[in-house]
Amino acid sequence: MVNFIWLFFIAVSFVCAIVNGRMEALTEAAFEGAKSGVTVSFGLISVMVFWMGLMRIGEDAGLLRKIAVMLQPVVRFLFPDVPKGHPALGYIMSNMSANILGLGNAATPMGIKAMQELQKLNPDKETASAAMCTLLALNTSSITLVPTTLIAIRMTYSSVHPAEIVGTTLAATLIATAAAIFADRWYRTRDKRKPPKWTDHASKHHSDAMPQAPPGSAAAGQGKGEAIV
């Protein structure tokens, strides 16, 4: 679907450039965008390598393990339907730890593994379970202490104070995470109040399966409120 969206934008750009006679400007913008993409990528690579190195040092020193232990009560509260000791919980805690440290690229593989493990617990393979929806919401709105990617982009474009967004980013992600948790709890509570989908169908099937009294019988008369002779 995303590929079709990008193809639509490209086609519209070419049509507009032809109609307005600005093909030259479109060509220049395309090459300038490609150049900027390469420049930003190199800037991201340098910062990501640095932070991934620190992440590895922290992992060897047991920092990630300590963060995971601190997150364990939170994870148990957010994922009550995942059995204790299940491998999905470990991947979820690793995903949340990486997101908190601003390592979104490192968090993605852990998130995928967590989704695969949660899918094994999912009784309906065609529909996302409540735990899978919770993980997606948290991964999208995770609290971020150090916005590594944004800092790298600001450094690439020669920002005077590339790290000054740390406080703002922390506040924004705190609000986003609180909103995601609130929405997740609300939807879980609402779904629990709903009767099972099979109830109405089972009742109808049960009524259809009940034997019907023949017309004129005593039982039929009673059903219509008629006197029994």
Side-chain angles (χ1 to χ4, degrees):
M1 185 62 184
V2 176
N3 293 333
F4 288 109
I5 294 175
W6 281 112
L7 179 61
F8 170 77
F9 285 142
I10 293 172
V12 170
S13 301
F14 271 100
V15 171
C16 292
I18 293 172
V19 171
N20 296 313
R22 303 189 61 182
M23 281 298 298
E24 183 178 352
L26 177 63
T27 305
E28 292 179 0
F31 282 109
E32 186 64 29
K35 179 182 176 181
S36 299
V38 173
T39 303
V40 172
S41 296
F42 276 112
L44 289 174
I45 289 172
S46 60
V47 175
M48 289 302 299
V49 167
F50 172 73
W51 278 106
M52 289 296 289
L54 289 181
M55 187 81 166
R56 183 59 183 270
I57 294 174
E59 183 179 0
D60 293 341
L63 176 62
L64 290 183
R65 196 178 305 109
K66 291 181 180 179
I67 294 177
V69 171
M70 293 172 59
L71 291 175
Q72 189 171 359
V74 179
V75 172
R76 292 300 307 155
F77 168 75
L78 294 174
F79 298 89
D81 44 353
V82 179
K84 187 176 181 180
H86 194 274
L89 295 176
Y91 290 122
I92 291 172
M93 287 186 285
S94 298
N95 173 266
M96 294 177 63
S97 301
N99 276 324
I100 289 174
L101 296 177
L103 300 172
N105 292 343
T108 300
M110 296 296 102
I112 293 174
K113 292 293 293 183
M115 281 292 186
Q116 291 174 346
E117 292 296 332
L118 291 176
Q119 179 67 358
K120 296 177 182 178
L121 297 173
N122 188 8
D124 184 2
K125 304 302 181 183
E126 301 297 326
T127 305
S129 64
M132 296 171 75
C133 294
T134 302
L135 176 60
L136 180 61
L138 291 176
N139 185 70
T140 305
S141 63
S142 176
I143 298 174
T144 304
L145 298 179
V146 184
T148 309
T149 305
L150 292 178
I151 292 175
I153 294 175
R154 289 169 62 86
M155 290 175 61
T156 301
Y157 286 99
S158 304
S159 174
V160 179
H161 302 291
E164 68 179 356
I165 61 170
V166 171
T168 306
T169 304
L170 178 59
T173 53
L174 276 171
I175 295 173
T177 303
I181 294 175
F182 175 80
D184 177 71
R185 296 292 100 180
W186 184 81
Y187 276 108
R188 281 177 178 260
T189 304
R190 188 193 68 170
D191 291 341
K192 286 181 180 179
R193 292 175 181 174
K194 286 183 177 180
K197 294 181 179 180
W198 51 265
T199 303
D200 296 337
H201 176 73
S203 300
K204 183 177 182 301
H205 179 74
H206 178 71
S207 61
D208 293 341
M210 288 289 290
Q212 301 295 327
S217 64
Q222 283 182 331
K224 296 180 181 179
E226 299 175 357
I228 302 177
V229 180

